[in-house]
Amino acid sequence: MRQFYLPELTKENTRFTLPIEESKHISRVLRMKNGDEIQLLNGKGLVAVAAITDNNPKATEVDILRFEEFPLPAEEIHIAIAPTKNNDRIEYFLEKATEIGVTKVSLLLTDNAERNKVKLDRFEKIFVSAMKQSKRVHLPILEDLVKTKDFINAHPNGLIAHCYEDTKTNIFTSFKAQSCPIIIGPEGDFSEQELALAKEKGYTPITLGENRLRTETAGLYAVTVARLWLDMNS
């Protein structure tokens, strides 16, 4: 069944008008007709099966047939990552990380930042598209750019991937499902001051293997390992 995103979906109403983007897709791309059934998601675990009552390409109307609610998973995969200079690369990370199972992405403004502005609306659309494609019912949380020191102070006791000579542990053995953000720096790495602060606040330096990885690759590696850890320990 085709899925469509409707953030205002609640159990209190049984009739909704879809936004224009979803309405156009239903009417002009999929050529769906009145009476066809679709699935609506609010990104917070609420799912509804609905019947199209008016396939208007500007404002499709639907009636809810039934609801189903899915609780938010207790486990968290929280990646804090510095946006890449090439916007396509960070967008690729966001899409694939959502498909794999990331639950939260925080964007870091590091001392060696390659990008100090991002288009959150664009990133959120990527999250929505990837959520629907991968049949997820919870939309990952996206947090705007924040200075590394502020993030570390607000989220102590995580994991930090960096390229300095250091004593590091394997990410698989260090990951914990609860309150364990994994921070990934820019291509120029974290500054020595950022690394020192992270260690002071209880961050464990981790290795992501012997090869040096690009920022977005390191992020995907971390998400994948965390997902495997959760699958093996569920």
Side-chain angles (χ1 to χ4, degrees), residues 190-209:
F190 291 107
S191 67
E192 292 184 1
Q193 292 78 12
E194 288 171 325
L195 177 57
L197 176 63
K199 289 182 176 181
E200 178 185 327
K201 295 297 181 178
Y203 273 72
T204 301
I206 56 170
T207 176
L208 301 179

Side-chain angles (χ1 to χ4, degrees), residues 133-193:
Q133 191 279 330
S134 56
K135 299 293 185 181
R136 293 182 62 180
V137 297
H138 292 95
L139 191 69
I141 296 170
L142 178 63
E143 295 186 335
D144 202 356
L145 279 168
V146 60
K147 290 184 178 180
T148 307
K149 64 178 182 179
D150 293 334
F151 179 88
I152 291 172
N153 284 324
H155 302 85
N157 303 313
L159 305 178
I160 180 169
H162 65 81
C163 297
Y164 291 96
E165 291 293 329
D166 200 354
T167 301
K168 302 176 183 179
T169 62
N170 185 285
I171 181 176
F172 194 86
T173 58
S174 303
F175 178 73
K176 301 292 185 295
Q178 298 286 350
S179 302
C180 187
I182 305 170
I183 62 176
I184 310 290
E187 298 294 340
D189 210 346
F190 291 107
S191 67
E192 292 184 1
Q193 292 78 12

Side-chain angles (χ1 to χ4, degrees), residues 32 104 113 162 219:
M32 301 186 78
K104 183 186 292 187
H162 65 81

Side-chain angles (χ1 to χ4, degrees), residues 1-7 21-22 25 39 41-43 91-102 120-140 142:
M1 189 177 296
R2 296 282 184 173
Q3 291 183 325
F4 299 89
Y5 180 53
L6 187 66
E21 295 84 359
E22 299 286 37
H25 192 63
Q39 198 173 57
L41 315 172
N42 71 350
E91 289 185 358
Y92 179 85
F93 162 76
L94 295 172
E95 178 184 70
K96 301 308 174 187
T98 301
E99 292 176 13
I100 295 168
V102 73
L120 280 185
D121 289 348
R122 167 67 181 169
F123 289 178
E124 288 171 352
K125 288 180 180 179
I126 291 172
F127 269 176
V128 169
S129 177
M131 175 187 68
K132 293 191 294 184
Q133 191 279 330
S134 56
K135 299 293 185 181
R136 293 182 62 180
V137 297
H138 292 95
L139 191 69
L142 178 63

Side-chain angles (χ1 to χ4, degrees), residues 75-94:
E75 302 85 3
E76 181 178 80
I77 302 178
H78 184 184
I79 303 293
I81 190 168
T84 55
K85 184 177 182 180
N86 185 324
N87 200 53
D88 289 344
R89 289 179 176 169
I90 192 65
E91 289 185 358
Y92 179 85
F93 162 76
L94 295 172

